[in-house]
Amino acid sequence: MNREYHKWYSAHLERDMELLIFGHSGAKVLIFPTRCARFHEYEDLGLVSELRDKLEHGHLQLYCLDSMDAETFYCSWRHPGDRVRRHLQYESYVLHEVLPLMAQRNSHPCTIAHGCSFGAYHAANIAFRHPHLFRKVVALSGRYDLTVAVEHFRDLLDGHYEDNVYFNTPSHFLPNVSDAQTLEHLRRLEVVMAVGDSDPFRDNNHQISAALWAKGVWHVLHIWEGRAHSAPYWRKMVPIYV
């Protein structure tokens, strides 16, 4: 199985960024790690191994990103407005540096946004904000409203609210999407979500599902038994949904 390590200086982030590529052809999968995790996490958790057959047969090619969460939403010392602005710089890095690399290396028309836990937020957020760039989103055990405290998970914006927060909170902006072209692209997306029946963000997943149905976006929301918010569960989900 092809495995490649890449590192370059990002002009958008003004720092070095690293990523791993697995596979040689097929649908391109843009993978966001869990909260504050590294680009090698997907491999470390055994998720790459679960997709080995699809990778070796040229059905999928994985692009595993590094996280910037410690400089964005989980950077508690930074002003909340600056946290989300740093996140937007990260999004620019993905859109203008990583996606062009993917297009250069692989001409397959399908690009999938994928992530687990906080990575699911990133995957869903970028796909719903830029649906013309993606064909599918696979979001496992995700949280889609960072402004609400649930259990021990705090409000990551500390009560701060502005347009940048709104437009990076799928639970907030999705119900109000009205642009005809954006809706057309959203309706072309294949959206797959999965969450445990005792996951603290199960209700949030249902909110996203309701917003998607209200906009005529076909999708599936799979409910797994238990909390289902850990690598053993994701190793079972990934071969089914990705």
Side-chain angles (χ1 to χ4, degrees), residues 66 69 77 99 105 115 128-129 160 166 176 190 225:
D66 217 347
D69 300 331
W77 58 263
L99 288 185
R105 296 185 58 88
F128 294 153
R129 279 168 54 81
H160 176 78
Y166 170 82
N176 299 317
E190 180 182 353
E225 184 178 356

Side-chain angles (χ1 to χ4, degrees), residues 35 74 117 143 148-156 200-201 227 229:
R35 179 181 62 188
Y74 281 91
S117 192
R143 172 189 187 181
V148 175
V150 180
E151 288 189 355
H152 63 279
F153 299 93
R154 63 182 181 85
D155 168 5
L156 296 181
F201 301 112
R227 198 174 181 94
H229 200 123

Side-chain angles (χ1 to χ4, degrees), residues 8-23:
W8 69 86
Y9 181 82
S10 166
H12 290 90
L13 294 172
E14 299 183 327
R15 55 165 284 186
D16 288 338
M17 293 296 289
E18 300 169 274
L19 61 79
L20 283 172
I21 301 175
F22 296 92

Side-chain angles (χ1 to χ4, degrees), residues 11-116:
H12 290 90
L13 294 172
E14 299 183 327
R15 55 165 284 186
D16 288 338
M17 293 296 289
E18 300 169 274
L19 61 79
L20 283 172
I21 301 175
F22 296 92
H24 59 278
S25 65
K28 297 167 286 191
V29 189
L30 180 70
I31 300 175
F32 295 88
T34 66
R35 179 181 62 188
C36 298
R38 300 302 309 280
F39 63 97
H40 47 75
E41 181 198 41
Y42 205 79
E43 180 180 35
D44 295 344
L45 295 180
L47 301 176
V48 173
S49 295
E50 294 298 330
L51 296 173
R52 177 175 291 275
D53 186 63
K54 293 180 180 180
L55 293 168
E56 291 181 344
H57 285 86
H59 301 315
L60 294 176
Q61 186 178 43
L62 312 182
Y63 291 78
C64 300
L65 296 173
D66 217 347
S67 167
M68 285 285 291
D69 300 331
E71 296 183 26
T72 61
F73 298 115
Y74 281 91
C75 188
S76 59
W77 58 263
R78 192 190 295 265
H79 185 277
D82 292 333
R83 294 175 208 167
V84 72
R85 280 186 283 276
R86 185 62 169 157
H87 164 74
L88 288 171
Q89 292 174 334
Y90 178 62
E91 181 186 74
S92 293
Y93 153 74
V94 174
L95 294 177
H96 303 299
E97 298 183 42
V98 178
L99 288 185
L101 170 71
M102 295 167 68
Q104 179 185 17
R105 296 185 58 88
N106 184 342
S107 62
H108 196 285
C110 178
T111 300
I112 302 168
H114 169 43
C116 305

Side-chain angles (χ1 to χ4, degrees), residues 177-187:
V177 173
S178 58
D179 177 73
Q181 189 173 38
T182 301
L183 286 171
E184 181 181 355
H185 288 301
L186 280 170
R187 290 165 184 159

Side-chain angles (χ1 to χ4, degrees), residues 121 124-125 128 144-145 166-175 208 211:
Y121 159 78
N125 190 54
F128 294 153
Y144 309 107
D145 189 342
Y166 170 82
F167 285 110
N168 284 278
T169 305
S171 297
H172 296 190
F173 74 76
L174 263 181
I208 289 292

